[in-house]
Amino acid sequence: RRPRARGGARGPRHELTLESLSNMAAWLHEQGKHARAEPLYQGVLEARDATLGPEHPATLQAASDLGIVLAAQGKYAEAEPLYRRALEGRKAAFGDDHPDALESLSNLASLLMERQNHSEAEALFRRALQIRTEAHGE
């Protein structure tokens, strides 16, 4: 008989497993191994969607992470809906002036700039500046 791990069995959708997968993907991304990080982030997003729901902050972070690694590979069309999802979810959950929402806003603006959508990118950059100015009085 095998001894049980402390805390019970942890499967592929357990939060600690997903955190470890996300950490491994982040490490691969930082090493420039974006293609190897992508399926790990994809798996984390799918599992968090199923277990936590699409609007949970950890799920929104997973969507953002996958978008970032896709954008790093030049897969802008695939990254854009993930960036939009993270932005809208974070705005709804935390408000426009929350740091996570502002990060998503800036990520989307930068991606739109890369996609040559300068008018929308400029509007989003201006919105981020406005929010920061209003929130911090700068």
Side-chain angles (χ1 to χ4, degrees):
R1 207 171 120 177
R2 284 183 20 197
R4 279 184 65 154
R6 203 169 65 160
R10 297 195 172 106
R13 291 190 170 193
H14 189 278
E15 185 54 35
L16 291 176
T17 303
L18 296 176
E19 187 178 322
S20 294
L21 283 172
S22 186
N23 289 340
M24 175 62 81
W27 180 81
L28 289 167
H29 172 66
E30 290 297 319
Q31 301 297 311
K33 298 174 182 176
H34 310 299
R36 289 183 55 200
E38 181 182 339
L40 297 180
Y41 277 138
Q42 183 66 48
V44 170
L45 176 59
E46 289 170 4
R48 287 192 170 145
D49 259 334
T51 59
L52 300 175
E55 300 305 319
H56 191 279
T59 306
L60 297 172
Q61 182 63 52
S64 180
D65 291 341
L66 179 57
I68 289 168
V69 83
L70 289 168
Q73 297 175 81
K75 297 178 179 181
Y76 303 124
E78 293 176 55
E80 185 174 337
L82 293 165
Y83 279 179
R84 289 187 187 278
R85 175 183 174 183
L87 173 60
E88 293 308 314
R90 287 170 164 176
K91 282 173 31 179
F94 307 126
D96 286 356
D97 62 344
H98 188 276
D100 289 351
L102 287 168
E103 175 188 318
S104 291
L105 186 61
S106 294
N107 285 348
L108 179 57
S110 295
L111 178 124
L112 291 170
M113 193 171 61
E114 289 292 329
R115 295 194 76 190
Q116 306 301 310
N117 186 343
H118 299 294
S119 60
E120 189 179 0
E122 180 182 0
L124 294 180
F125 281 129
R126 287 184 184 281
R127 179 70 181 134
L129 179 60
Q130 176 188 7
I131 292 168
R132 287 187 172 112
T133 301
E134 289 172 1
H136 302 291
E138 297 171 1

